[in-house]
Amino acid sequence: MEGAGTQFTVTGKGVMPAPWDTNFQRRWSTFLMAMGTKYDAIPNLSYVIVTGQGYGGQATFCKSLADDAELAAVGGINVWVNAFVSIVGLYINAFPQTPLIVNIGAPLYPNQLDGFKTATALCLTSYGAHFGIKYNGLSPTSSTTGWQASEINALSPTNPVGFQMLAASATATDLAQSIEIGETIGSNLFEVYSSDLKLVSDLTTL
């Protein structure tokens, strides 16, 4: 990447392209359009996870107070929010037929979700039922309250929503209880770990 502010150093993760960098977004768009041309019309493609706004598959971005300060130096959380909305727009253009899902993550350290909430609200206004969210922390003891559960419940009648298991299930009962909680909240999408696909007891639940 070229020029100031075109990359971001995430504590413990390394250097990544800054989500707001125009060169990154242009190149990411080229890649996404190629992917969409090849896969968007395939009926078996149930959804696409939106990435690029965080350091990995979730929307988590800053991992330390030093990262927060680095973001503040280039304009703060609003810069990240605007980048988030723009990146979702790239996916909308590339996958007009496929539901899009963002994995819930906290852009500011420690675990501050406000920026994510703002960004998703803007995306819901701009992109409607094409856009949804997923929480990657489902477990047998997951709460049915809190923002994650409440937002998934509110969006579930109209938008793509779902859960990923926090970890591989220790028992088939744990898996069944986790899925029951997710269904109670309002989801019928559940991502599980490969080990849960190998146990006959878990397959019965699934």
Side-chain angles (χ1 to χ4, degrees), residues 25-206:
Q25 290 192 16
R26 174 176 53 80
R27 294 170 183 175
W28 196 227
S29 177
T30 299
F31 169 76
L32 292 174
M33 292 301 293
M35 290 284 289
T37 298
K38 186 171 184 179
Y39 295 111
D40 185 48
I42 296 178
N44 289 338
L45 182 61
S46 299
Y47 59 96
V48 171
I49 299 295
V50 176
T51 62
Q53 74 280 28
Y55 66 79
Q58 299 186 35
T60 303
F61 191 54
C62 295
K63 294 291 289 181
S64 71
L65 293 177
D67 296 352
D68 288 354
E70 184 181 354
L71 180 59
V74 295
I77 191 62
N78 287 337
V79 171
W80 183 88
V81 167
N82 291 336
F84 181 113
V85 177
S86 294
I87 289 170
V88 173
L90 302 181
Y91 280 80
I92 292 286
N93 291 335
F95 293 93
Q97 302 179 59
T98 306
L100 302 175
I101 294 177
V102 172
N103 291 321
I104 296 172
L108 289 178
Y109 179 86
N111 198 34
Q112 294 184 31
L113 280 170
D114 287 349
F116 182 86
K117 295 176 184 179
T118 300
T120 53
L122 290 170
C123 286
L124 289 168
T125 298
S126 297
Y127 309 127
H130 200 158
F131 170 84
I133 59 175
K134 180 163 63 71
Y135 178 51
N136 291 354
L138 188 64
S139 76
T141 59
S142 288
S143 172
T144 57
T145 61
W147 182 82
Q148 291 92 333
S150 297
E151 189 72 357
I152 287 174
N153 177 263
L155 294 177
S156 60
T158 54
N159 294 67
V161 295
F163 290 94
Q164 178 183 298
M165 298 297 296
L166 177 64
S169 300
T171 67
T173 300
D174 284 351
L175 180 63
Q177 289 177 345
S178 300
I179 291 176
E180 183 177 348
I181 289 171
E183 289 176 334
T184 298
I185 292 171
S187 175
N188 59 8
L189 166 63
F190 300 94
E191 294 181 355
V192 301
Y193 285 78
S194 58
S195 59
D196 290 316
L197 299 176
K198 297 176 182 177
L199 297 177
V200 173
S201 57
D202 287 355
L203 288 177
T204 300
T205 298
L206 294 171

Side-chain angles (χ1 to χ4, degrees), residues 7-20:
Q7 62 185 32
F8 194 91
T9 302
V10 180
T11 299
K13 301 297 179 180
V15 178
M16 64 172 284
W20 50 85

